Amino acid sequence: MLQARGHFLLLENLTSSEASEVVILERCWVVEFRSKTDVSIILKFQSGEPDLYLEAASKSDCEAWAVALGEANSEGLRNKIQQLRKLIMEIKEERTSDEARQFLPSSQVDTLGEPQFTSIQRIANEPKLEFSLACKGLVAATRDRKLNTFIQVSVVHPAEHILTRYSSTEIVEGTRDPLFLTGVTFPPEYPIYEETKIKLTVYDVKDKSQDTVRTSVLPDHKEPRADTGRSFLGCTTFRVGDLVKSKEQQLTLTLRTSDGGKTVGTIEVNLVKMGEFEDGEMDHITTDAQDQKFLCFLPLKSCSCGFLSATCAHNTENLERMTDRRAKEECALVRECTAPEGLSGKDNLPSLNAVLKNPICKLYRFPTSDNKWMRIREQMAETTLSFHVPKELINLHIKEDMRRNQELKDLGELAPHWDNMRKSVIAHCDQMLSMYQDTLAELGKHTGSSFKSSCSKGEKTLEFIPINLHLQRMHVHSPRLKDALYDVITVGAPAAHFQGFKNGGLRKLLSKFEAERRNTGYQCIYYSPENTAKAKEVLSNINHLQPLISSHADLLLNSASQHSPDSLKNSLKMLSEKTELFVHAFKDQLVRSALLALYTARPGCVLKKPAVPRSSAEEGDDLKHQDHPSQIKRQDSIPHHSEYDEEEWDRVWANVGKSLNCVIAMVDRLLEKDNSSKIKEGESDPSAADCKVLHAGGDWYEQLYPLVITLKDCMGEVVTRAKQSMAFVLLQELACGLPQCLMLTLRRDIVFSQALAGLVCGFIIKLHTSLHDQGFLQQLHTVGLLVQYEGLLSTYSEEAGMLEDMAVGISDLQKVMFKVIEAKSEDFLPIITGRREHYVIEVQLPAKMFELLPQEIKEGKLLRMYPVLFNVGINEQQTLAERFGDTTLQENINQENLELLKEYYNLFTEKMPPDCLPHFQEQNDLKGLLENLHQNIQAKRRKNVEIMWLAATICRKLNGVRFTCCKSAKDRTSMSVTLEQCSILRDEHQLHKDFFIRALDCMRSRQTQGALNESDDPETGCLTDNKPTSRHFYPVALLLVSSHLLVVWLILSLALLLAKYQ
């Protein structure tokens, strides 16, 4: 038996534990036999002592002993100590200038200022530094071992002299000349200078059978332990300035062991600039492609520490090959072409920086089918809109609800039944209003991350905030094609997680509520959802148009006082247009019937019999039958009430138009008299026959003032009556469903807030990247923008409720309009105006960007959105739903949204010329894709992911915005996005077919994302192990292999539950 203790080798007797001989490992070397079957080594001494023959139990033990004996030599220890002393001296030299400053006079210190570092010249909004890595001639501990290597990148900041781990490459398996596909990139905000040092450490992975190594877990100042499944090969350090200033923009560095004495290979660092092609090394990659195997996860194996023996030593297992993954071959995704100036222009930086923040960049280089390199920069960024949009919406909700409560109070005197109902409604509304105010106050205090992580999806204060809203961008630079950008917005499914899904989601709850509300007619008057929405629209028009008409009337009087004919004409034109809109807003039977219903609710009238509940078929003109005058009985004991005059409203409403005609006639007459040199006596304008005309010599202002006052008085009377009648309609809606109505409104507001935040982000990003695409801009204002949501939710358990919430929230986005305006300040965040179901998002652009827009958009034309949702469940819960549950919800959603997609396509073909989009091939392509999508939806196959790929293809061909959603925008979303990206590279940028799986593995690797801590994790916001959400699905997943076993498992589970509750 042998033991190695420091630089002593102890030879023990087999019969006793005492050492029979001690060998000092000084001035000796190890000779290892090259035979693969030989397990012996020879220890030779310079002093001439006899050779020492050692035999191990296995080849792996023999290799381990050779390494251990070679490192036990005291000369190796001396070299390590010398290397450490050298490093200490370098650190002391760097700090000498800082320490000397402490002894300088204060005046000299002030002139020196803070340490100045040389910044790296770069393009605006581009990463500061990017480089690729490759190793050559790596030396293994044993000759026959094939290395499985990766490089860990660390940064030494010049001001702090602290080593910080930054990122790692993927693992390249089975070669001593690895070329890494994953590069290193530093984002624009990263503090890196020419004086910054970068340390590159090469490791050899020994065992991939254990857990994944995460470099961010280990302290920055410590090297990883040798027993963590990887061994240290060598390291090197270089200054950033040396790389940037080198003529070839390449450094060839020598890798040395930790003691600095032994060379273990070289490492090549190549500076990367997107837009410049990389030559060379392609033949090397092509020839060695069969031998190099890539692993994207670093395995960790914990080995026991203790003595080494020739018969029982550390046993190193061979690395297994990666499991091949099968990729779908037919996934054509169309490339998005963008003008080069649109990619790096400086004008769009302020507005983009106001929306995006904290980008995380990853750099790759992949070979093409024609033996060229293409470079891919992948970027994921947070958005400030995650909190900005919900806060703006909640503020609008508070104002809208406060107006509604005041309108209910202004209804005037009501009968006791209706008055009690009003008091109850206002009390409940005040509670909801207080809750909105508290939520807004809590969001105002938020100072943490700019996105909500999945760990916080159940927090009440953050229920309006979308989950994990990020921009996922892929910038492709290929040799023969234009640079292309591919954007996908990833976000968790918009849903009310805090309220839960015990009773389903919005789609089910709204249907159930509407059915129950029809049966409460004996308590209140039933109005259909369409009529209720019409009442809200009338109130919104009143609040919007009345101030405008008053202001235009004042401008008309001001123009008259200045005696300006041109200004008078313009003011009259604006006044006429707004007044006509005002009059048209009340041209509805609903206002007339609501006035009659309000009359019956006054104390002077009682109903002869309760109102009969209406059927769902009663619409439009049938409203007047629900409160027919025959049901009203006037109380003769109250003499101040008279019979209701239905024509009174018509007279009041018509007076506004007559007053406007008088104003128009007077203005025409004044302008005519001003243009005429002589006034003919006795001549009058026939249109002004009913108007009182002052003498011709009077002032314009004096003649117009009484007419304008009359117009305002008539308008005020109409507004008072219409407001009260429409408020009474809203009172019926609220009274028929307290408190469910308010709770459903709250849930819908929550879901809509999450969906709108993502939509605003997607619109702004799409607008910025397509400003130079005239075809897209024409499509935007002529047809609208297609927004395609890819849902990956199952139809089982809680996720079915999430899908119902998501479907309603995305459907509500159809009523959102966008408007592009020129920014008047440095605040480029969007402005939200309007009310529920009628919001307008004003997107602000800098002046230079605003000038690039078509005239229609610059004039304020509202831009329509066409959101569509296609969902396909792909997890184990969907397997249960397909076997034992119901997938009708998913089928109905896909069918409904297919019709919406066809509607958009028809509008596009009608209004847009065939050659408007440069990457269009033929219209038949889209027709074929739509027909294929229709067939796949009708087929109702299990987990038919072809639906998702076809919908994504159609969306990109139609210049749409892509969203990918699952429960929390983590595992399923990332798998879908990376597969889509690699499919685009293969189909549109000629990615080499042998590198599809390797590219997919690189993009899916957590290891290459850099040193992320818990709060910086862009996927989850906290450390996760990618485990299923519930431990109960492990046995289910295993049992799904056999349907018979699954049935047995379900029967046994049911029996256990019955026994438990009995």
Side-chain angles (χ1 to χ4, degrees), residues 187-446:
E189 298 80 8
Y190 196 87
I192 188 170
Y193 309 95
E194 291 188 4
E195 293 79 10
T196 303
K197 290 185 177 181
I198 295 180
K199 180 181 179 182
L200 304 176
T201 308
V202 182
Y203 291 99
D204 175 26
V205 179
K206 294 181 179 180
D207 190 351
K208 67 187 182 76
S209 62
Q210 302 295 323
D211 295 336
T212 300
V213 170
R214 295 178 182 166
T215 58
S216 57
V217 176
L218 298 176
D220 292 338
H221 61 279
K222 294 184 179 180
E223 291 293 337
R225 294 169 51 186
D227 59 352
T228 59
R230 58 183 180 177
S231 61
F232 173 84
L233 287 182
C235 63
T236 186
T237 305
F238 69 93
R239 290 177 69 255
V240 172
D242 296 339
L243 175 62
V244 175
K245 295 178 181 179
S246 61
K247 294 182 179 180
E248 297 83 6
Q249 295 186 339
Q250 175 181 333
L251 295 178
T252 301
L253 307 173
T254 301
L255 287 170
R256 296 185 180 275
T257 56
S258 58
D259 56 11
K262 183 179 180 181
T263 301
V264 294
T266 60
I267 184 169
E268 292 183 356
V269 184
N270 292 277
L271 187 65
V272 173
K273 293 182 179 179
M274 297 291 282
E276 296 182 2
F277 298 106
E278 182 178 353
D279 299 325
E281 296 295 343
M282 191 58 231
D283 295 336
H284 167 70
I285 282 294
T286 305
T287 55
D288 292 348
Q290 301 297 328
D291 297 331
Q292 294 192 17
K293 297 181 286 294
F294 293 78
L295 296 174
C296 50
F297 298 110
L298 299 183
L300 169 67
K301 181 179 177 69
S302 58
C303 305
S304 58
C305 301
F307 65 91
L308 293 174
S309 67
T311 59
C312 184
H314 170 65
N315 185 16
T316 304
E317 299 179 359
N318 294 328
L319 289 172
E320 300 177 359
R321 294 186 178 183
M322 285 193 310
T323 304
D324 292 335
R325 299 177 179 89
R326 184 170 57 93
K328 184 78 175 177
E329 292 297 331
E330 298 178 359
C331 182
L333 295 174
V334 176
R335 177 168 54 94
E336 290 181 353
C337 298
T338 309
E341 59 267 25
L343 298 177
S344 58
K346 297 181 180 180
D347 297 334
N348 61 350
L349 291 183
S351 53
L352 271 182
N353 291 337
V355 175
L356 301 177
K357 62 182 301 186
N358 299 334
I360 297 177
C361 299
K362 297 167 68 176
L363 179 69
Y364 310 100
R365 55 175 176 177
F366 297 139
T368 60
S369 57
D370 55 354
N371 294 337
K372 298 291 183 180
W373 284 110
M374 64 174 167
R375 296 195 181 107
I376 296 91
R377 181 189 298 150
E378 191 180 21
Q379 175 182 341
M380 182 166 60
E382 305 169 14
T383 172
T384 56
L385 300 177
S386 293
F387 282 82
H388 173 74
V389 171
K391 288 193 289 187
E392 290 288 308
L393 271 182
I394 296 174
N395 192 32
L396 291 177
H397 293 334
I398 292 174
K399 294 179 180 179
E400 180 181 350
D401 292 348
M402 291 178 68
R403 286 196 304 266
R404 179 195 60 196
N405 291 357
Q406 187 60 43
E407 290 164 356
L408 293 177
K409 295 176 182 178
D410 293 341
L411 277 176
E413 189 179 3
L414 298 176
H417 168 73
W418 300 106
D419 190 53
N420 293 333
M421 182 183 295
R422 176 173 58 178
K423 291 178 181 179
S424 176
V425 168
I426 292 178
H428 282 85
C429 290
D430 286 340
Q431 293 179 2
M432 297 301 297
L433 183 61
S434 177
M435 194 216 66
Y436 280 102
Q437 292 171 340
D438 293 342
T439 301
L440 183 61
E442 290 296 327
L443 291 179
K445 300 176 184 177
H446 181 80

Side-chain angles (χ1 to χ4, degrees), residues 531-787:
N531 288 326
T532 302
K534 181 65 177 178
K536 295 178 181 178
E537 182 180 356
V538 171
L539 287 173
S540 176
N541 290 333
I542 291 174
N543 296 326
H544 174 66
L545 293 175
Q546 185 183 15
L548 289 178
I549 294 174
S550 298
S551 63
H552 288 308
D554 294 338
L555 290 176
L556 181 69
L557 293 177
N558 186 42
S559 300
S561 64
Q562 296 177 1
H563 209 276
S564 174
D566 294 336
S567 178
L568 192 66
K569 289 179 181 179
N570 294 333
S571 300
L572 179 63
K573 180 182 177 181
M574 299 300 297
L575 178 63
S576 301
E577 291 177 357
K578 300 302 179 183
T579 306
E580 289 177 2
L581 291 176
F582 179 82
V583 173
H584 182 73
F586 304 108
K587 196 175 182 180
D588 194 281
Q589 182 66 25
L590 177 63
V591 180
R592 184 190 303 272
S593 63
L595 284 171
L596 176 60
L598 178 60
Y599 171 77
T600 64
R602 299 298 185 189
C605 294
V606 295
L607 288 177
K608 187 174 182 180
K609 59 181 179 179
V612 180
R614 297 185 42 175
S615 64
S616 59
E618 296 181 48
E619 299 290 343
D621 294 336
D622 295 337
L623 279 168
K624 58 186 178 182
H625 298 300
Q626 69 179 6
D627 296 303
H628 196 273
S630 61
Q631 297 178 346
I632 303 172
K633 179 179 179 181
R634 186 170 60 88
Q635 294 181 351
D636 296 333
S637 58
I638 305 179
H640 62 274
H641 277 279
S642 59
E643 291 290 345
Y644 176 74
D645 186 2
E646 295 187 26
E647 297 181 355
E648 182 180 2
W649 165 250
D650 294 334
R651 290 193 296 269
V652 173
W653 172 61
N655 284 341
V656 177
K658 292 180 180 180
S659 301
L660 178 64
N661 290 335
C662 289
V663 173
I664 295 174
M666 178 57 68
V667 172
D668 291 342
R669 186 164 187 171
L670 292 175
L671 293 175
E672 181 181 353
K673 290 180 180 180
D674 183 70
N675 296 331
S676 176
S677 58
K678 294 181 180 181
I679 303 176
K680 298 181 179 180
E681 295 182 0
E683 181 180 358
S684 60
D685 191 347
S687 64
D690 298 334
C691 302
K692 181 179 180 181
V693 182
L694 299 180
H695 63 277
D699 184 72
W700 284 11
Y701 180 86
E702 294 177 355
Q703 297 183 58
L704 279 176
Y705 179 76
L707 300 179
V708 172
I709 293 300
T710 302
L711 174 63
K712 288 184 177 181
D713 292 341
C714 294
M715 184 179 63
E717 187 175 358
V718 171
V719 166
T720 301
R721 292 172 181 261
K723 269 191 172 183
Q724 290 183 346
S725 63
M726 295 298 97
F728 188 74
V729 174
L730 298 184
L731 176 63
Q732 310 308 310
E733 179 199 25
L734 295 170
C736 289
L738 285 179
Q740 292 85 357
C741 179
L742 294 177
M743 294 304 298
L744 283 178
T745 301
L746 171 63
R747 188 183 189 102
R748 199 164 190 170
D749 288 344
I750 291 171
V751 175
F752 179 77
S753 172
Q754 299 177 22
L756 183 63
L759 176 64
V760 176
C761 178
F763 178 86
I764 293 177
I765 298 302
K766 183 66 177 180
L767 182 63
H768 279 76
T769 56
S770 304
L771 272 176
H772 299 273
D773 189 345
Q774 295 301 319
F776 167 77
L777 296 177
Q778 181 183 358
Q779 176 187 355
L780 183 62
H781 71 80
T782 305
V783 185
L785 181 64
L786 177 65
V787 185

